[in-house]
Every structure is written in C-alpha cells, then in structure tokens.
C-alpha cells in the first residue's frame, strides 16, 4: 500500500542546522508519533509536509504524489492543527469558520457544529478572546470538519488540561478506525503517544534515529536499576546513566541484557518513551536503534 507520506533523501539546511537525508514513511490508516528534543527538526518536518518549507535535496511525496504537480489537491485532503495561532484574531469563530470552510469542497457543516457543541465553543466570541486551549479546540474542529484523509498535528495537546488531552486522544482513535485515515502527531508529551501511537518517528539533531512501530522501539531497550556498588562490576555499554545516593538507573540495548546478567539485586523494567528520550539525550549515544 502506498504510504500517506514518504520522505526520500530529504535534506534541508537552515544556517548551522541541517535536517539531513530523511528517509521514512508514514503508513496509511495509523497514528504516527513524531518525537525528539526541542530543536531536533520536528517543526521543520511538519512544515515541509505542508509545503511551507522545500528541500535543498530529495523530495516528499504525500498520498503518493508530488507538490510540484498537485499542491491544491493534496492540501485539500489534509487537516492540520498547529501549536502556533494562524487565525485572524479580529474575527469571531463563526466568521473564521466561513473563511476556512471556503477552501474545502468536502466541508461538513453538521460535523463542525457537532464538534462545537462537544468542545463548548462560543461562535460569537472573537479569536483574540479565546484561551490557548479553546483555540486548539477550534483548530481541531475546523480540521476534522472537512473530513481529511490525513490529519497533521504539531504539539496539539501542549497547554491543554489532562481531561481534554484525553478527549483528543479518544477522538483521534475514532478518526482512524475505518482504516482510510491517518494521523501524524508531533508532541513532547510522550505519554500521549504511548496511549495511541502505532508508529514512532524519532529525530535528534536533524538526523533520523528511528522509524518503526512503537513496540519495536520500546522492545529495543531495557531499564536497569540497582545499587551503586554494582556499577563498577558491570561493564555494559549503557545508552544513558543516572546516579543518586540511593542507586542508579540506566538504559541499555536489549541485546546487552542477556538472561541472568542482571539478577537480584538488579531490577529490570521495560522503559517508557519518556525514558528512551531522556536517557538517549543524556547519553548522546549514536549506537544504532533497532529497525
């Protein structure tokens, strides 16, 4: 099946920072999480998917097509929710909705009104008077109302309360249920992705560290905890290590955690996405991640 997004040797420089030789796919019918530390290139990737940034080398194909040939048609099939505010702040929600709806022949007014009621949004309030959370709700309602095949979200849950963050995840899970729609979800809140992501793309310093299923990434590592006295006797290539007066915890590749190598008093656990992000950043290991 043709991927919904495909990066082919995509390279883009911006001063000293270079997003280098990106090669990965976003699979159709799934939720893909885009993760990485601040400044890793996530927003550059998101903007390039929307053709706001063009590559110095390589290309991006969306729905199997190039922006060079079919930009308008491609963008009409995409819904997007950015962390930044791109609305006209002097307009009301109702007025801004009319502007957005005019771009999409597939606009579903009934669906939009349903989301407005669900999110408790006041149509007559001006955009400038909305809280950050309410702006995000409006952006999501507008993105979903034209029934896009691909939903691109850049830090959509940042600044939202936990209840509405959970509601968004439920909405996204329902959105892809029929297998014809896809989500690319960039966020620094990795617990959100642990709940709903099927695939993970992990970039760091402008380089692709991992692209594959969430389970493949989580299974590539183990988290080991134990007393400090045992550190010197175990010469293991830790990806990242933390020490305190109470002991240590370290992330290492699954291949280095052979059965029996970390018996009691060690504790071996499965890491979270947060653990992987934190420890790989602290250790700055460039060892290959499982593919």
């Amino acid at each position: 099946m043709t991927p919904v997004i495909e990066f082919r040797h995509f390279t883009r420089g911006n001063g000293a920072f270079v997003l280098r030789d990106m090669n990965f796919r976003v699979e159709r019918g799934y939720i893909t999480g885009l993760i990485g530390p601040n400044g890793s290139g996530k927003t550059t990737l998101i903007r390039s998917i929307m053709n706001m940034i063009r590559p110095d080398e390589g290309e991006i194909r969306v729905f199997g097509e190039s922006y060079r040939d079919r930009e308008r048609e491609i963008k009409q099939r995409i819904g997007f929710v950015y962390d930044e505010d791109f609305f006209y702040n002097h307009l009301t929600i109702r007025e801004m909705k009319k502007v957005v709806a005019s771009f999409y022949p597939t606009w579903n007014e009934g669906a939009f009104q349903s989301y407005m009621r669900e999110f408790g949004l006041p149509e007559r309030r001006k955009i400038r008077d909305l809280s950050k959370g309410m702006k995000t709700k409006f952006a999501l309602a507008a993105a979903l109302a034209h029934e896009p095949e691909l939903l691109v979200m850049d830090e959509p849950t940042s600044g939202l309360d936990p209840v509405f963050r959970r509601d968004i995840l439920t909405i996204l899970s329902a959105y892809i249920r029929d297998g014809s729609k896809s989500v690319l979800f960039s966020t620094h809140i990795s617990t959100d992705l642990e709940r709903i992501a099927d695939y993970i793309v992990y970039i760091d310093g402008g380089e692709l560290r991992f692209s594959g299923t969430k389970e493949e990434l989580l299974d590539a590592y183990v988290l080991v905890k134990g007393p400090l006295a045992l550190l010197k006797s175990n010469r293991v290539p830790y990806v990242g290590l933390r020490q305190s007066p109470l002991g240590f915890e370290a992330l290492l590749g699954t291949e280095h955690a052979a059965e029996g190598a970390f018996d009691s008093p060690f504790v071996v656990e499965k890491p979270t996405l947060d653990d992987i992000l934190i420890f790989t950043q602290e250790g700055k290991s460039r060892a290959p991640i499982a593919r």
Side-chain angles (χ1 to χ4, degrees):
M1 182 181 292
T2 303
V4 67
I5 303 170
E6 186 174 12
F7 279 75
R8 298 178 177 178
H9 301 289
F10 178 95
T11 296
R12 168 72 188 204
N14 182 14
F17 178 81
V18 179
L19 202 58
R20 184 177 294 103
D21 199 27
M22 293 284 120
N23 287 285
F24 67 89
R25 299 156 54 109
V26 174
E27 301 296 342
R28 189 181 301 269
Y30 296 96
I31 296 175
T32 297
L34 177 60
I35 63 174
N38 290 337
S40 61
K42 299 192 298 297
T43 297
T44 300
L45 279 182
I46 294 289
R47 289 180 174 176
S48 66
I49 291 167
M50 298 305 300
N51 205 33
M52 298 167 66
I53 291 176
R54 298 183 181 181
D56 298 325
E57 298 177 22
E59 68 170 337
I60 302 167
R61 298 190 74 83
V62 183
F63 308 119
E65 299 180 306
S66 169
Y67 272 115
R68 288 191 301 270
D69 307 318
R70 300 173 61 86
E71 179 167 2
R72 182 178 178 85
E73 292 88 344
I74 290 172
K75 287 187 174 179
Q76 286 182 336
R77 298 164 68 184
I78 301 174
F80 53 90
V81 179
Y82 292 132
D83 182 41
E84 300 175 30
D85 182 2
F86 285 96
F87 299 127
Y88 299 136
N89 286 322
H90 65 285
L91 298 182
T92 65
I93 287 180
R94 178 181 294 177
E95 292 166 340
M96 190 69 229
K97 179 264 296 185
K98 291 179 180 178
V99 173
V100 175
S102 67
F103 288 99
Y104 299 104
T106 57
W107 182 267
N108 185 329
E109 182 65 18
F112 178 77
Q113 292 300 329
S114 177
Y115 285 121
M116 289 287 287
R117 290 190 295 272
E118 182 178 349
F119 298 162
L121 293 173
E123 279 194 306
R124 297 181 183 279
R125 185 170 298 182
K126 290 186 182 293
I127 301 294
R128 63 170 172 248
D129 297 327
L130 300 179
S131 67
K132 179 178 175 60
M134 292 176 76
K135 288 180 181 179
T136 300
K137 292 177 183 181
F138 172 54
L140 182 59
L144 292 173
H146 68 90
E147 302 177 337
E149 296 174 48
L150 169 64
L151 184 62
V152 177
M153 310 182 76
D154 188 12
E155 299 286 355
T157 56
S158 176
L160 298 181
D161 65 79
V163 174
F164 188 63
R165 278 174 46 211
R166 181 196 61 203
D167 292 343
I168 284 182
L169 303 185
T170 301
I171 289 168
L172 296 183
S173 296
Y175 167 75
I176 66 159
R177 193 167 293 155
D178 67 0
S180 67
K181 299 180 177 66
S182 314
V183 175
L184 179 65
F185 190 130
S186 169
T187 182
H188 67 278
I189 306 175
S190 59
T191 51
D192 288 346
L193 294 179
E194 291 224 42
R195 291 185 57 188
I196 62 166
D198 303 293
Y199 290 84
I200 296 292
V201 174
Y202 174 19
I203 62 173
D204 178 18
E207 297 182 358
L208 181 67
R209 297 293 311 282
F210 174 84
S211 176
T213 69
K214 178 180 64 182
E215 287 72 23
E216 287 173 332
L217 179 57
L218 293 175
D219 289 345
Y221 297 102
V222 293
L223 192 64
V224 178
K225 301 177 182 180
L228 285 174
L230 296 179
L231 263 181
K232 293 181 180 179
S233 61
N234 284 269
R235 301 295 183 181
V236 177
Y238 297 114
V239 173
L241 175 68
R242 281 183 170 179
Q243 301 180 56
S244 76
L246 299 177
F248 78 93
E249 56 181 2
L251 187 76
L252 68 155
T254 306
E255 70 275 14
H256 298 300
E259 187 174 348
F262 291 98
D263 291 333
S264 180
F266 289 107
V267 176
V268 180
E269 300 175 350
K270 187 171 183 174
T272 63
L273 285 178
D274 224 25
D275 291 328
I276 292 172
L277 279 169
I278 291 170
F279 279 104
T280 54
Q281 285 307 296
E282 290 182 348
K284 286 295 180 183
S285 170
R286 294 301 173 198
I289 295 177
R291 299 284 176 178

